[in-house]
Structures are given as structure tokens and as C-alpha cells.
């Protein structure tokens, strides 16, 4: 039971941090300033559903793709940990993360009519970091139903919070302010950095055991 609880908390915190619902609020407001309230609701619904579909796809076939490419889970643990650490560093220093959206993609997004697919669903919500996290946690859960359920609930909770944050984006900015959002993002960045290092350590430990360096 303690393992299930620890795993569930870790999954929830990681997905909440990498999707960063509160951080979506100012981005969403900036991208949809020219849309009506009804159009915003449609964009939010589409972006959330598309993100869920992308995450579900990689949750189902992610491990299969790794096996076909000959990539071991511990190697993906290390690579995923490094990627998440890079995202965490950008969050800590308040920089736009290239792992989520590049400057060129941000400029293109401002001129697009439909932003639900790009850049909201990809890469802001279901970006490389989210995909890597999904494959990592599904791989760790393996075939244990309770752990897989924990991953599903963590993803669903993070997406639900992202939906709420986008629907309440104007209210969040008015009440919390951009400074408050930046402070919250930096706190999440610290947590994500620690979790990223743990992923790397887990990968290195598994490799050491597999290779016979540690018995």
C-alpha cells in the first residue's frame, strides 16, 4: 500500500508539473484575445480532447515502440529524466521551454485561426515532456492494474485542471497575477527537477543491476 500511495503521489505531481495548468492561463489569454467567449470554450474542449487522445496513444503503444526500436526502459528513464530536468531548469529561470514551444512556433501560433491543435494540444499540453512522462510511468506500472489506474487518474486530473485553468484564465490572472503564476511555476520547477533526477537515478540503478555491476 505505501508503494501504491507513493507512486500515485509521484505520478500526480509529475503530470501536474509538466502540464502546468496555471502556467497555461496567461498563454491561453494571449492566444485567444481575439476570440469570443463561445469560441474560447470550443478551443478549450478541442485542445483538451486532442491532448487526451495523444497521451492515450503513447500510453498504449509507447512501450511497444521502445521495444521495436531496441530501447530499454532504463535508457528511456535516463533520457526522459534529462528532458524533464531541462524543462524544470527553464521553469526555475522563467524561460520559455524549447521542449514545449520554440520562439518560431509561438510567433506562428499568434497568426493561426485554430490554436486548439497547435500550440495548445501540441506542444503546450501534450508536448515531448508529457509524452516522455507518460511512457515512463506506464512502463514503471507495467502490468499492475492499480498502478496503471494511478497513472490514468494522474493524467486525467492534470488534464481536468488544465481545462479548468483555461476556462478560468482571466479570473486566475486577475486574482493571482503574473507574479503569482511565476512564483507557482518556480515551485513546481523545483519539484520537477527533483523528480527528473530520481528518474535518472532509477535508470542508472537498473542499468547497474542489469549489467551486473551491482548484485
Amino acid at each position: 500500500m505505501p508503494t501504491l500511495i507513493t507512486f500515485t503521489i509521484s505520478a500526480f505531481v509529475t503530470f501536474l508539473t509538466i502540464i502546468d495548468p496555471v502556467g497555461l492561463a496567461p498563454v491561453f489569454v494571449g492566444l485567444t484575445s481575439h476570440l469570443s467567449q463561445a469560441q474560447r470554450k470550443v478551443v478549450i474542449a478541442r485542445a483538451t480532447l486532442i491532448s487526451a487522445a495523444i497521451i492515450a496513444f503513447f500510453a498504449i503503444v509507447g512501450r511497444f515502440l521502445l521495444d521495436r526500436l531496441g530501447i530499454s526502459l532504463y535508457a528511456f528513464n535516463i533520457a526522459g529524466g534529462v528532458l524533464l530536468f531541462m524543462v524544470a531548469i527553464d521553469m526555475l529561470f522563467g524561460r520559455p521551454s524549447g521542449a514545449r514551444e520554440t520562439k518560431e512556433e509561438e510567433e506562428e501560433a499568434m497568426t493561426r485561426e485554430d490554436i486548439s491543435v497547435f500550440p495548445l494540444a501540441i506542444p503546450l499540453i501534450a508536448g515531448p515532456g508529457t509524452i516522455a512522462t507518460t511512457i515512463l510511468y506506464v512502463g514503471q506500472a507495467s502490468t499492475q492494474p492499480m498502478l496503471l489506474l494511478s497513472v490514468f487518474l494522474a493524467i486525467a486530473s492534470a488534464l481536468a485542471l488544465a481545462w479548468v485553468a483555461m476556462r478560468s484564465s482571466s479570473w486566475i490572472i486577475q486574482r493571482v497575477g503574473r507574479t503569482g503564476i511565476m512564483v507557482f511555476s518556480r515551485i513546481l520547477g523545483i519539484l520537477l527537477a527533483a523528480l527528473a533526477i530520481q528518474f535518472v537515478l532509477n535508470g542508472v540503478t537498473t542499468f547497474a543491476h542489469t549489467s551486473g555491476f551491482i548484485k
Side-chain angles (χ1 to χ4, degrees):
M1 185 60 68
T3 302
L4 174 61
I5 294 174
T6 302
F7 182 85
T8 301
I9 294 174
S10 174
F12 177 77
V13 171
T14 305
F15 279 105
L16 176 66
T17 304
I18 198 67
I19 292 178
D20 190 13
V22 176
L24 281 174
V27 177
F28 179 77
V29 169
L31 291 173
T32 61
S33 58
H34 61 292
L35 300 179
S36 66
Q37 191 64 26
Q39 290 173 319
R40 286 187 178 189
K41 290 180 179 179
V42 173
V43 167
I44 293 169
R46 289 191 62 189
T48 305
L49 290 174
I50 292 170
S51 300
I54 293 170
I55 294 172
F57 173 80
F58 282 99
I60 295 171
V61 307
R63 186 62 187 271
F64 174 79
L65 290 176
L66 293 183
D67 292 340
R68 297 287 75 78
L69 293 173
I71 301 173
S72 60
L73 188 59
Y74 61 76
F76 197 81
N77 263 288
I78 296 172
V82 171
L83 173 61
L84 294 180
F85 187 76
M86 292 171 63
V87 174
I89 292 297
D90 286 332
M91 290 177 69
L92 285 169
F93 288 97
R95 300 187 304 231
S97 177
R100 298 183 68 181
E101 184 182 27
T102 64
K103 185 65 176 177
E104 291 75 15
E105 289 172 336
E106 181 181 355
E107 292 173 353
E108 181 185 348
M110 298 301 293
T111 63
R112 292 175 65 91
E113 291 296 326
D114 183 10
I115 63 167
S116 57
V117 178
F118 173 83
L120 284 181
I122 307 171
L124 289 177
I125 301 176
T130 306
I131 292 171
T133 303
T134 300
I135 297 176
L136 283 173
Y137 273 101
V138 170
Q140 287 185 4
S142 187
T143 56
Q144 301 179 59
M146 292 304 295
L147 295 185
L148 287 172
L149 178 61
S150 296
V151 176
F152 169 77
L153 291 176
I155 295 172
S157 299
L159 287 176
L161 288 173
W163 180 86
V164 171
M166 287 187 289
R167 286 291 297 265
S168 312
S169 54
S170 299
W171 183 88
I172 291 174
I173 293 176
Q174 289 175 0
R175 296 297 187 280
V176 180
R178 293 185 180 273
T179 301
I181 291 174
M182 291 296 289
V183 170
F184 184 72
S185 293
R186 279 165 171 73
I187 294 173
L188 290 180
I190 295 173
L191 293 175
L192 183 59
L195 288 168
I197 294 299
Q198 188 62 55
F199 277 131
V200 173
L201 291 176
N202 291 345
V204 171
T205 302
T206 304
F207 170 73
H209 280 291
T210 305
S211 303
F213 293 113
I214 299 178
K215 298 182 179 180

